[in-house]
Amino acid sequence: MTLASVTRAFAAAALLLLAPLVVTGCSHLVILRDPLSANEHNDLGVAYERGGQPALAAVQYRRSLRLDPRQPRVWVNLGNAEAAQGKWRSAAKSYERAHHDAPEDPDAMNNLAVALLRTPSGRHRAHALALRAVSIGGERDSVYRSTLDEVDHAR
């Protein structure tokens, strides 16, 4: 057997093995690089959340954070999606990370207070966070005051 005949035999065998894939199409497409940016994953998560699909939203928020973990707003969004599913401990961890990265963000403080209120040992800290969110105020001041009232009634 010559080198040319071995090469032809190998090419024929490869063609026989690949022919079914060419005829039927590949059943799996492998993406080696995520085509979406961190912001696009966040936006997709917001769309899922608005559509009443918090589990799918959480998946997109996690993908966003995998690409860029220093996004306090996305940590808050992830916490919101987890809270919507009743996963209060996970929500508290996400809000905690948002509060760590943006210590003056009243949304992170407020939502962390709500989550801590629903965990066994977080009530005292919930009060301090809710009070601080009210003192900062902002667009959602009435929400922060409502949270503070809820925390006060739970004490």
Side-chain angles (χ1 to χ4, degrees), residues 54-95:
L56 292 175
V59 169
Q60 293 305 315
Y61 297 142
R62 284 188 188 95
R63 286 181 182 164
S64 176
L65 292 165
R66 195 176 316 125
L67 293 171
D68 182 3
R70 295 184 180 181
Q71 302 179 83
R73 173 57 40 203
V74 181
W75 284 108
V76 169
N77 291 347
L78 177 58
N80 292 345
E82 291 166 333
Q85 298 174 79
K87 299 177 180 178
W88 290 105
R89 286 181 196 256
S90 293
K93 287 179 184 179
S94 295
Y95 297 140

Side-chain angles (χ1 to χ4, degrees), residues 114-134:
V114 170
L116 288 174
L117 191 59
R118 286 157 176 80
T119 59
S121 60
R123 289 188 179 176
H124 179 71
R125 185 154 178 247
H127 184 265
L129 287 162
L131 194 58
R132 180 75 178 119
V134 167

Side-chain angles (χ1 to χ4, degrees), residues 29-114:
L29 177 64
V30 177
I31 298 175
L32 299 177
R33 185 184 159 290
D34 189 340
L36 299 181
S37 70
N39 287 336
E40 290 168 329
H41 277 294
N42 180 62
D43 292 346
L44 186 54
V46 169
Y48 278 131
E49 201 167 356
R50 287 182 181 158
Q53 297 178 304
L56 292 175
V59 169
Q60 293 305 315
Y61 297 142
R62 284 188 188 95
R63 286 181 182 164
S64 176
L65 292 165
R66 195 176 316 125
L67 293 171
D68 182 3
R70 295 184 180 181
Q71 302 179 83
R73 173 57 40 203
V74 181
W75 284 108
V76 169
N77 291 347
L78 177 58
N80 292 345
E82 291 166 333
Q85 298 174 79
K87 299 177 180 178
W88 290 105
R89 286 181 196 256
S90 293
K93 287 179 184 179
S94 295
Y95 297 140
E96 190 72 63
R97 175 61 190 265
H99 180 55
H100 176 268
D101 291 352
E104 296 301 312
D105 181 346
D107 287 340
M109 285 180 228
N110 181 77
N111 294 9
L112 179 54
V114 170

